[in-house]
Amino acid sequence: MNPIDIKAALSAIPAALLDPLLDQFEEAVSEYRAGDWEKVGTKAGKFCEIAYTICEGHATGTFAASPSKPKSMFHDCQKLEQHNKTRGRPLCIQIPRVLIGLYELRNNRAIGHVSGEIDPNHMDAEFYLRGMKWIVAEFVRFFSKLPVAESRAVVEAVTARTHQIIWQSGEIRRILDPRRSAEDKVLILLYAENKAVLVSNLLRWSEYKNGSRLRKNVLRTLHDKAMIHFDQKHDTAQILPPGQRKVEGADFLEMKD
């Protein structure tokens, strides 16, 4: 999806609120593609707070200068319902009720789970992402002054299914786009792990056949570019902020045609 089109459709929302909303949304999509379910939840929580600020600004007629965390998402969203007759149901009742559900799950579902419990992080991430997509699309439907066909196209782009690029099962990792370069695969794998990873695991997960070449031609090159830190003594690699920014860049984690 093109962020410029979304911004054009949502130009009625002040940039001080719109920009952080879309930042959290796009980052959540990237985390989903990378299979980092916990981070999707983190982005969802911040997204909800910004979305509430937008709804509150519309309902009261005055947008806040910056996003703020409501004292009680449940009660503050309920208070917006009193404005629905003059300001409409979408931003006074419907979006706030979705926000209550998203925020409740995000804040009151433990990230660290009891041993033996079925880990809900993936299913929760599915709910968070679909909820965020629906809210952004509803904002477009409500605020957009673009021609109907253009607004509809933005809604369709926002709500289109997002495909993850990395699959995880226990200790197994698979890049679902085998056409990616070795450098891309390493960056994606390290981004998803977000910690030091043994090179032996990178070899196994990337299905790179030659360990010496991986270390010399891929890891050393990425290290020299400051994309990763390659610790030759401990034979580990870890992504660095420049590498994170590259992975989070527009379309990097999308499946290639």
Side-chain angles (χ1 to χ4, degrees):
M1 84 190 69
N2 189 338
I4 296 175
D5 293 338
I6 301 177
K7 283 192 172 184
L10 297 177
S11 60
I13 300 174
L17 301 179
L18 178 59
D19 289 346
L21 180 86
L22 295 182
D23 285 346
Q24 294 301 319
F25 176 63
E26 293 295 339
E27 288 174 16
V29 172
S30 291
E31 302 296 358
Y32 178 90
R33 288 196 175 109
D36 196 328
W37 314 128
E38 292 186 17
K39 285 185 181 177
V40 176
T42 300
K43 303 302 178 184
K46 296 177 181 178
F47 174 94
C48 287
E49 292 167 3
I50 302 165
Y52 165 80
T53 306
I54 293 170
C55 291
E56 192 267 344
H58 168 76
T60 61
T62 304
F63 286 107
S66 61
S68 60
K69 182 178 179 179
K71 292 181 179 179
S72 168
M73 183 67 77
F74 180 79
H75 291 106
D76 289 351
C77 281
Q78 283 192 322
K79 290 178 183 177
L80 298 182
E81 296 191 8
Q82 63 185 304
H83 301 282
N84 83 90
K85 290 184 179 179
T86 56
R87 307 299 285 173
R89 293 181 69 87
L91 272 70
C92 295
I93 295 180
Q94 293 162 347
I95 291 177
R97 289 184 181 179
V98 173
L99 290 175
I100 290 171
L102 288 170
Y103 207 68
E104 160 63 25
L105 194 64
R106 171 62 190 93
N107 283 358
N108 295 304
R109 173 92 84 173
I111 292 299
H113 303 291
V114 178
S115 178
E117 178 184 343
I118 296 174
D119 186 341
N121 285 343
H122 186 185
M123 70 183 202
D124 288 356
E126 296 287 345
F127 175 64
Y128 297 142
L129 189 64
R130 295 309 300 179
M132 285 187 281
K133 282 174 172 278
W134 183 88
I135 289 169
V136 171
E138 188 65 5
F139 278 153
V140 170
R141 202 178 67 84
F142 188 86
F143 284 112
S144 180
K145 302 300 181 184
L146 298 176
V148 173
E150 292 182 30
S151 296
R152 185 182 297 116
V154 174
V155 168
E156 290 299 317
V158 169
T159 57
R161 183 173 177 81
T162 298
H163 298 281
Q164 64 190 95
I165 196 170
I166 187 168
W167 175 81
Q168 303 182 25
S169 179
E171 295 300 316
I172 303 171
R173 309 286 186 270
R174 285 290 303 276
I175 299 293
L176 301 180
D177 188 351
R179 294 164 295 181
R180 290 299 188 117
S181 68
E183 287 191 9
D184 280 1
K185 288 181 179 180
V186 166
L187 285 174
I188 292 168
L189 289 165
L190 292 179
Y191 180 86
E193 295 300 304
N194 198 30
K195 61 183 179 183
V197 175
L198 289 170
V199 174
S200 58
N201 283 336
L202 290 176
L203 273 166
R204 183 160 49 93
W205 296 340
S206 67
E207 300 183 325
Y208 201 91
K209 303 302 182 185
N210 190 309
S212 297
R213 287 183 182 176
L214 180 74
R215 292 174 176 86
K216 179 181 178 181
N217 298 338
V218 179
L219 300 182
R220 189 72 239 177
T221 298
L222 289 172
H223 179 95
D224 291 343
K225 293 178 180 178
M227 294 287 180
I228 69 169
H229 176 67
F230 175 34
D231 186 334
Q232 297 183 68
K233 179 180 179 180
H234 297 97
D235 206 30
T236 62
Q238 185 168 8
I239 197 163
L240 296 176
Q244 292 175 329
R245 288 194 292 271
K246 180 173 181 178
V247 175
E248 292 170 355
D251 302 333
F252 183 86
L253 286 173
E254 289 188 1
M255 300 285 283
K256 304 302 182 184
D257 294 327

